[in-house]
Each structure stands twice: as C-alpha cells, then as structure tokens.
C-alpha cells in the first residue's frame, strides 16, 4: 500500500524574515536616525531611548546598551575589577561568549555542574566549587528558564560574592515575579539575531548599583570620562558601543518584547499539551517560582525508549522538515580547545597559569548532571511567528517520530 507523505510545512525561522518581526516601527526609527545624520550613540538619541525604556521595563536604575551579549558579560565582569587569578563560577552549558570575557579579564572560569532536568546551575552545585578565591558567580538562565535564584543568592550573599545573571536567553522571564536579570548585582542580555528581540548584534547590561553602573558605562566607552571636568581614559577598556542604527532597531523591537514573550508562552503551553502522553518525551520543566520565556523549547528524550536518543530523534524529525538540535552544544565548554589546550595569549596560557589546580577540573566524570543533560536534551526552535498550526505540525511530527523509532526496537 502506498501512503502519500504528509504535506510539509515550512516553520518560521529566526534567521530570516519568516521568524522575525521587523516592520514599520523599525523602519521609522531607522529613517529618523539616518535623517538625523548621527550614527554614533555618543551624540544620538535612540540608544539613549533604548536604555531608558529597558530601565523602565525592568524597573532598574541603570541600563546600558553595548555591542553584543558577549560584550555585556565582559562589561559586567570588568565592572567587578577582579584581581588576576580570581575565580568566577559559571556553567559548562552556555554560549562561549559568556566564558571568554572572564579569561580576557585575567580571571579563571570555574565550572559548576547543572541540574540534568533544568540544565541550570544550582546553589548546591555552586557551593561544591566555591573557594576563598571565588569573587563572582555567573548564573545563566538556560533556554529562558530562570535558575533557582533564591537559594543561589542566599549562598552568595552569605559570602559577599556578587552574582551576575546571564539573561541572554531569558528576556521577559521572571523569578518570584521579578524580571530575570534584575535579581543579581548585574544582568546581561543579548540582542543577537536569534534572541527574543534583536538588532542583529547587540547587548544590554542592567544594575541598581551606582558604582557598578559607572564602571560599566566607562568600560563600554574606552573608560573615557565624557562630561567630566577633566576627562581622561581612567582604566583599560574597549569601545563596546552600539551604533544608533542598531539602537533604532533594538528600540522598536523592545516595544514588541511583551508580545513576543506572550506568544512564545502560549505556543509552548500548546506544545506541552500536545506532547503529553508520548512516552519517553519530557517537556520543559520549571519551578512554581518561575515564568519561563521559552527562548527555545527543550525536551528530554529517553534513550532507553528511543535507541539513539536525541540524535536519532532529530534525524527522524528532519524527515518531516522540523529542525532541532540534539545536545544543544556538541560538548561542555570545558571540553573545547580554548580550555583543554589553554590557548589564550601567545604561548603563555595566561591566566590559567594563575589558577589553583582544583579550579581547572575539566574531567567529564566531575560533571554527571551536565553529561546527563546533554545526553537527553533535544532543542526545538520556537519564535514569535509560530502559529497554532505550526505547533500542531511539530507535535504530530514528534508523535510520528516517536512511533517510528519505537517500532524499530
Ligand atoms: C547568546 C548568548 C551569549 C552571547 O551573546 P552574543 O550576543 O551572541 O555575543 C551569552 N550568553 C548566553 C547564555 C547566550 O545565549
């Protein structure tokens, strides 16, 4: 019997117009910037508008735009003015742009294991790697699901260690009703092409701390004291500014953030409903304290039920034109060459040369949660252009793949 293949849907893709939402608002802001003739944020209006509205939206005193999410993390780390060899606890499941800034500031990234169900670091996993040299903790809210901040902040506050939130994937998420990125001392966001809102490349840092705000503003501006009576370049810093062209698009996008997040939540809820009852497939989990903002929709595939696990599942989904990413990252960050070979500045291996040996534990067996997380996770894209029809299609592709893979056993 011949069974006609089901018609294939083209899902919205966040790398092009199908999955992004640029319209008259972005065009009008861009036109205004071009008409003004001022493309630098040191003299223009739109980056200032963006910063003002981010501060308002998140209820924080200070927000500064910068060149990328990586620049945002770099700015946050630099603001702490660490000593070379100081340790910064972070996660092995993240974007490399959240890790290399630590090395550029001559500090040592120390990896904490993650919870295999949420993919986030926990107070317990952080506590295991703290030392007297720990001077900061970077908490990444992976896929838009805020980490358990109450316990993490209690641990950090008791020891006087500042917490930086990497909210690059968590625009619009909340923890105990507070926006992700506003719970720690500094929050970092990304405006890269594939994030909740975008201007191609860009980043934002937020804080309520006046001294840190001042240092972050300066770090983005070559540490030049604009407006001071006797300005100078006060310390080592870069030009990490966003241009007015990017600021215009980001400003228009920011006004759409609440809508984007609401759509992502609704579609995620629909997908979770549709997947219930498929054995060996676990939808994203989060605690009651959290409103997830679904940068991605990450499911867990049980390799006991589906031989080949997330990889086999991704292949089966590809046949239905549904793209997905098994493991999310091919390997934990500490398995990448920059860490394994300590390739930094020339042949020096600096700043690894300053580290305690225990801080450089890059053995897989020390990270059972990370290993389990990566062996199970399958990351499905989602964005503000997904309709209910798209969700129904994705859900039926997953159900079909599940049936096919199980019948092969
Ligand atoms: C995207 C991302 C970054 C880096 O942002 P860029 O804008 O790409 O430099 C940092 N951390 C996390 C968790 C990210 O997802």
């Amino acid at each position: 019997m011949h069974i006609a293949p089901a018609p294939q849907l083209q899902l919205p893709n966040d790398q092009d117009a199908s999955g992004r939402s640029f319209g008259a608002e972005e065009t009008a802001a861009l036109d205004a910037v071009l008409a003004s003739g001022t493309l630098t944020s040191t003299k223009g209006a739109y980056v200032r508008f963006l910063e003002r509205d981010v501060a308002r939206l998140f209820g924080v005193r200070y927000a500064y735009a910068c060149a990328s999410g990586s620049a945002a993390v770099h700015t946050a780390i630099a603001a702490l003015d660490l000593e070379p060899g100081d340790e910064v606890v972070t996660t092995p499941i993240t974007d490399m742009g959240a890790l290399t800034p630590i090395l550029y500031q001559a500090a040592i990234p120390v990896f904490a294991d993650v919870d295999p169900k949420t993919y986030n670091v926990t107070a317990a996993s952080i506590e295991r790697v703290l030392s007297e040299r720990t001077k900061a903790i970077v908490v990444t809210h992976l896929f838009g699901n805020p980490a358990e901040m109450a316990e993490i902040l209690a641990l950090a506050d008791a020891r006087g260690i500042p917490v930086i939130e990497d909210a690059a994937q968590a625009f619009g998420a909340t923890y105990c009703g507070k926006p992700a990125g506003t719970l720690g001392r500094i929050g970092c966001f990304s405006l890269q092409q594939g994030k909740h809102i975008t201007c191609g490349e860009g980043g934002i840092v937020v804080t309520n701390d006046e001294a840190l705000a001042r240092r972050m503003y300066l770090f983005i501006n070559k540490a030049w004291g604009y407006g001071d009576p006797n300005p100078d370049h006060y310390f080592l810093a870069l030009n990490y500014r966003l241009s007015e062209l990017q600021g215009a698009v980001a400003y228009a996008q920011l006004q759409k953030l609440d809508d984007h997040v609401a759509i992502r939540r609704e579609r995620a809820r629909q997908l979770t409903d549709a997947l219930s009852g498929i054995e060996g497939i676990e939808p994203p989990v989060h605690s009651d304290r959290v409103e997830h903002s679904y940068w991605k929709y990450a499911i867990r595939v049980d390799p006991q039920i589906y031989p080949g696990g997330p990889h086999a599942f991704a292949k089966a989904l590809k046949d239905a034109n549904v793209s997905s990413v098994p493991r999310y990252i091919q390997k934990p960050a500490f398995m990448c060459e920059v860490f394994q070979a300590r390739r930094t500045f020339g042949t020096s291996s600096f700043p690894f040369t300053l580290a305690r040996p225990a801080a450089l534990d890059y053995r897989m067996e020390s990270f059972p949660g990370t290993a389990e997380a990566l062996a199970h996770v399958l990351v499905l894209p989602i964005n503000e252009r997904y309709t209910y029809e798209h969700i129904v299609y994705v859900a039926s592709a997953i159900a079909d793949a599940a049936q096919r893979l199980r019948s092969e056993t």
Side-chain angles (χ1 to χ4, degrees):
M1 185 176 73
H2 176 76
I3 301 172
Q8 292 205 334
L9 250 180
Q10 198 68 42
L11 293 167
N13 181 345
D14 66 18
Q15 300 301 296
D16 62 44
S18 67
R20 302 279 69 177
S21 44
F22 307 122
E25 304 79 9
E26 285 77 7
T27 305
L30 276 170
D31 282 348
V33 165
L34 287 170
S36 76
T38 303
L39 304 192
T40 171
S41 65
T42 58
K43 313 240 166 33
Y46 271 86
V47 169
R48 212 67 9 98
F49 293 161
L50 170 70
E51 294 170 341
R52 180 200 63 198
D53 283 8
V54 166
R56 259 185 213 159
L57 182 65
F58 292 149
V60 290
R61 288 175 70 193
Y62 307 97
Y64 297 111
C66 59
S68 66
S70 309
V73 175
H74 195 174
T75 299
I77 299 286
L80 299 178
D81 200 17
L82 303 178
E83 293 297 325
D86 281 351
E87 297 175 9
V88 179
V89 173
T90 182
T91 171
I93 305 186
T94 187
D95 188 283
M96 192 52 77
L99 299 174
T100 44
I102 299 169
L103 294 168
Y104 272 104
Q105 289 309 112
I108 311 298
V110 177
F111 296 100
D113 201 9
V114 303
D115 177 317
K117 300 260 176 163
T118 65
Y119 322 108
N120 285 329
V121 295
T122 65
S125 76
I126 292 167
E127 190 166 19
R128 282 199 291 278
V129 298
L130 289 180
S131 83
E132 67 289 345
R133 295 179 74 178
T134 308
K135 293 295 153 57
I137 298 167
V138 178
V139 176
T140 302
H141 306 308
L142 209 73
F143 304 137
N145 179 27
E148 282 299 349
M149 289 299 287
E151 288 78 5
I152 293 171
L153 288 172
L155 172 73
D157 288 349
R159 299 177 192 231
I161 304 171
V163 171
I164 295 170
E165 290 176 85
D166 183 348
Q169 304 184 359
F171 254 126
T174 66
Y175 182 85
C176 292
K178 291 186 186 154
T182 68
L183 292 119
R185 294 284 290 283
I186 300 173
C188 304
F189 296 89
S190 167
L191 297 165
Q192 214 275 330
Q193 174 80 37
K195 300 293 163 74
H196 287 82
I197 54 171
T198 183
C199 58
E201 307 288 351
I204 299 167
V205 286
V206 300
T207 188
N208 284 310
D209 182 309
E210 187 178 355
L212 289 176
R214 173 73 179 156
R215 269 194 74 89
M216 292 201 289
Y217 167 80
L218 287 169
F219 190 71
I220 293 165
N221 287 282
K222 301 178 236 177
W224 177 252
Y226 285 98
D228 288 0
N230 297 301
D232 198 348
H233 294 286
Y234 301 129
F235 55 84
L236 182 66
L238 297 152
N239 176 353
Y240 265 167
R241 290 191 288 263
L242 201 66
S243 81
E244 282 289 289
L245 294 167
Q246 294 163 302
V249 175
Y251 169 77
Q253 286 271 289
L254 184 69
Q255 320 305 324
K256 303 176 180 180
L257 176 62
D258 283 350
D259 286 347
H260 290 188
V261 171
I263 294 167
R264 284 168 182 263
R265 282 202 183 116
E266 174 71 359
R267 297 294 169 249
R269 197 186 54 69
Q270 291 165 339
L271 188 49
T272 296
D273 281 352
L275 297 182
S276 76
I278 303 182
E279 212 194 336
I281 296 294
E282 264 183 79
V285 293
H286 62 82
S287 81
D288 296 342
R289 294 161 166 175
V290 155
E291 285 180 290
H292 198 311
S293 70
Y294 296 99
W295 177 58
K296 301 287 178 192
Y297 186 93
I299 60 175
R300 275 168 60 92
V301 177
D302 186 347
Q304 307 280 15
I305 295 183
Y306 304 105
H311 277 103
F313 222 94
K315 248 178 106 200
L317 287 177
K318 191 98 201 85
D319 294 341
N321 206 23
V322 174
S323 65
S324 62
V325 183
R327 295 182 67 85
Y328 171 52
I329 48 173
Q330 286 321 298
K331 44 193 179 186
F334 55 77
M335 296 302 283
C336 293
E337 204 168 322
V338 53
F339 287 102
Q340 288 287 317
R342 302 180 193 175
R343 246 192 273 294
T344 52
F345 303 98
T347 56
S348 71
S349 291
F350 182 86
F352 291 109
T353 43
L354 306 176
R356 291 180 305 126
L360 306 179
D361 180 2
Y362 299 153
R363 296 166 308 156
M364 250 347 282
E365 60 265 35
S366 302
F367 298 89
T370 300
E372 185 186 335
L374 295 179
H376 286 77
V377 74
L378 180 65
V379 180
L380 293 158
I382 186 169
N383 59 58
E384 72 270 12
R385 301 291 296 277
Y386 271 61
T387 63
Y388 180 62
E389 189 193 12
H390 295 128
I391 294 299
V392 169
Y393 181 78
V394 171
S396 75
I398 291 172
D400 286 352
Q403 200 168 36
R404 253 197 296 160
L405 290 170
R406 291 194 72 176
S407 66
E408 283 170 14
T409 62

